[in-house]
Amino acid sequence: MESGESVHNVYMNCYTMRLHPEPFERIKSGDKNIECRLNDEKRRQLGVGDTIVFQNREGGEELERKIAALHTFPDFESMFEKFPEEKINDVYQYYTPEEEKECGVVAIELE
């Protein structure tokens, strides 16, 4: 290697997330480019440029999207202020207030 040259090894990771049919179809059509989750240990491993394979819970269809950005928030209320289009009726059907307080939340912006 010549002086001044450098080698960059960039390893992108791939993750799988399951979705209900409605949000799956919205991501597939391009109408939805933010996926909201608890910022738990699994989500803290995500990085910009990584790939997520979304699986439709009904039928098993899959689609891939790259992560464009990660936005973290202390709670869903703060996240919905920035991304009001992502507000769902009852986020607590999926997560408890205790989990939200412990982990915070992440809005995963998709390419």
Side-chain angles (χ1 to χ4, degrees), residues 29-71:
S29 71
D31 288 342
K32 176 177 169 66
N33 72 337
I34 300 286
E35 174 59 18
C36 307
R37 299 285 174 123
L38 278 182
N39 195 23
D40 57 14
E41 186 177 328
K42 200 161 47 168
R43 258 51 84 171
R44 287 187 200 114
Q45 296 175 27
L46 299 173
V48 173
D50 287 349
T51 298
I52 298 175
V53 176
F54 291 102
Q55 292 179 335
N56 188 332
R57 288 179 178 266
E58 294 179 14
E61 183 181 359
E62 295 183 344
L63 61 92
E64 289 185 9
R65 292 292 184 271
K66 285 200 178 289
I67 298 174
L70 296 163
H71 309 273

Side-chain angles (χ1 to χ4, degrees), residues 72-83:
T72 57
F73 300 90
D75 52 45
F76 285 106
E77 184 178 337
S78 302
M79 185 188 63
F80 294 145
E81 287 176 15
K82 173 135 175 108
F83 301 106

Side-chain angles (χ1 to χ4, degrees), residues 77-108:
E77 184 178 337
S78 302
M79 185 188 63
F80 294 145
E81 287 176 15
K82 173 135 175 108
F83 301 106
E85 68 278 8
E86 294 305 315
K87 187 167 174 95
I88 58 175
N89 289 335
D90 185 14
V91 71
Y92 299 112
Q93 69 183 318
Y94 304 110
Y95 306 114
T96 67
E98 292 78 22
E99 290 173 317
E100 175 188 34
K101 185 175 181 178
E102 180 183 329
C103 299
V105 299
V106 60
I108 306 163

